[in-house]
Amino acid sequence: MHNTPTDDTTRTALVVFAHHRPDSLTAHIAGLAIRRLSAAGYRIDRLDLHGEGFDPRMTVADQPEWGNREKTYSPEVHDHMRRILAADLIVAVFPVYWVQMPALLKGWIDRVWNYGFAYGRSAPRLAGKRMLWLGLAGAADDDGYVELMQQSLGPQLNEGIAYYCGLSHSTVGLLTGAEDKPQRVDDAGNLVLGEALTGAAHTAHYEALERRAMGFVDELLASAAVAA
Ligand SMILES: Cc1cc2nc3c(=O)[nH]c(=O)nc-3n(C[C@H](O)[C@H](O)[C@H](O)COP(=O)(O)O)c2cc1C
């Protein structure tokens, strides 16, 4: 938890990110999101799943027992549940792997967003929370796979997870062009890497990606301000 001065009315943003390299673009975008949310007055809970050693593998202790929504899960999972409950906003930042979230983040959802906590109650405990999923994708902006990723990630994350758990608001911000060698799939199904961006073109490309990312964060902040 960051030590931002707070009072009782300070709202909390949980920024959860899933990457094995602290110098990744994913971690960088998570850092920018933290700065933006902090500047907007939010107390920040920074959850670096890899850095904190989160194990995405399901365990017997954390497997739901259908019919027992009061099950006591592992202490680690209850700790994560407390962090989610304390958050008004949740921002997940991750690289898109195989048109979905990476296993590390998926395991966090599987183990922590559990029966009796995130779903399975007539009065959802996560009601009122607002979420943004920021997915970085190697595909170039004009690659044919971008539409497939949009069509797949939107229903999967917004409806399959967020609305199933009673969240008030959920959007997916797909950040294409995350690789500096633009990735496209040709008509024969081959992955074709473009020329590496260099110099001013490289700078402009990543500044534009950062602006898109912050645009999604600003939309989340605006939706929370309207709801307040
Ligand atoms: C296992 C794996 C699967 C990937 N699947 C996709 C994909 O489905 N769509 C896509 O656009 N990029 C895909 N990529 C590219 C990553 O999204 C891209 O490398 C990443 O977003 C770059 O950000 P980073 O530097 O923070 O890792 C994949 C990369 C890996 C390693």
Side-chain angles (χ1 to χ4, degrees), residues 98-158:
W98 294 110
V99 198
Q100 51 198 299
M101 66 178 97
L104 179 56
L105 182 59
K106 178 63 165 44
W108 184 67
I109 300 284
D110 292 348
R111 286 184 63 207
V112 180
W113 293 51
N114 217 324
Y115 176 53
F117 167 70
Y119 64 94
R121 290 185 181 273
S122 48
R125 290 185 174 170
L126 306 189
K129 300 188 189 304
R130 313 179 86 76
M131 180 137 194
L132 169 64
W133 308 83
L134 273 182
L136 288 85
D141 302 349
D142 59 357
D143 182 65
Y145 264 89
V146 172
E147 197 183 337
L148 171 73
M149 284 192 284
Q150 294 274 17
Q151 286 174 357
S152 168
L153 288 167
Q156 197 186 113
L157 303 179
N158 292 331

Side-chain angles (χ1 to χ4, degrees), residues 10 45 58 60 67 93 101 105 123 128 144 155-156 175 195 218:
T10 305
D45 185 2
M58 179 56 82
V60 173
V93 191
M101 66 178 97
L105 182 59
Q156 197 186 113
L175 300 169
E195 286 294 310
D218 287 343

Side-chain angles (χ1 to χ4, degrees), residues 19 21 24-26 95-99 136-139 149 178-179 183:
H19 208 285
R21 273 192 291 107
S24 62
L25 185 59
T26 299
V96 174
Y97 283 176
W98 294 110
V99 198
L136 288 85
M149 284 192 284
E179 290 290 340
Q183 299 184 350

Side-chain angles (χ1 to χ4, degrees), residues 4-218:
T4 314
T6 56
D7 59 43
D8 286 348
T9 61
T10 305
R11 290 155 65 82
T12 297
L14 174 65
V15 178
V16 50
F17 66 101
H19 208 285
H20 45 285
R21 273 192 291 107
D23 64 349
S24 62
L25 185 59
T26 299
H28 172 68
I29 295 293
L32 292 182
I34 284 170
R35 275 185 21 210
R36 194 70 143 220
L37 293 159
S38 187
Y42 279 78
R43 175 200 295 123
I44 304 295
D45 185 2
R46 176 182 183 276
L47 172 49
D48 171 357
L49 288 172
H50 190 270
E52 293 194 19
F54 182 80
D55 186 344
R57 290 173 299 175
M58 179 56 82
T59 64
V60 173
D62 296 324
Q63 186 180 320
E65 270 174 30
W66 308 120
N68 177 16
R69 60 187 190 187
E70 309 302 336
K71 175 171 175 174
T72 300
Y73 298 103
S74 67
E76 181 191 22
V77 157
H78 278 283
D79 187 47
H80 281 272
M81 287 173 174
R82 276 189 287 277
R83 293 171 77 168
I84 293 169
L85 280 179
D88 300 287
L89 304 182
I90 304 167
V91 178
V93 191
F94 58 94
V96 174
Y97 283 176
W98 294 110
V99 198
Q100 51 198 299
M101 66 178 97
L104 179 56
L105 182 59
K106 178 63 165 44
W108 184 67
I109 300 284
D110 292 348
R111 286 184 63 207
V112 180
W113 293 51
N114 217 324
Y115 176 53
F117 167 70
Y119 64 94
R121 290 185 181 273
S122 48
R125 290 185 174 170
L126 306 189
K129 300 188 189 304
R130 313 179 86 76
M131 180 137 194
L132 169 64
W133 308 83
L134 273 182
L136 288 85
D141 302 349
D142 59 357
D143 182 65
Y145 264 89
V146 172
E147 197 183 337
L148 171 73
M149 284 192 284
Q150 294 274 17
Q151 286 174 357
S152 168
L153 288 167
Q156 197 186 113
L157 303 179
N158 292 331
E159 283 141 49
I161 299 175
Y163 295 134
Y164 192 80
C165 296
L167 272 75
S168 306
H169 173 103
S170 172
T171 49
V172 175
L174 184 62
L175 300 169
T176 49
E179 290 290 340
D180 61 359
K181 285 186 183 166
Q183 299 184 350
R184 293 184 182 83
V185 177
D186 70 13
D187 291 344
N190 301 306
L191 174 62
V192 179
L193 299 184
E195 286 294 310
L197 295 167
T198 54
H202 184 276
T203 304
H205 178 81
Y206 284 102
E207 283 178 354
L209 189 145
E210 289 177 4
R211 276 197 300 279
R212 273 154 56 209
M214 292 308 101
F216 288 120
V217 174
D218 287 343

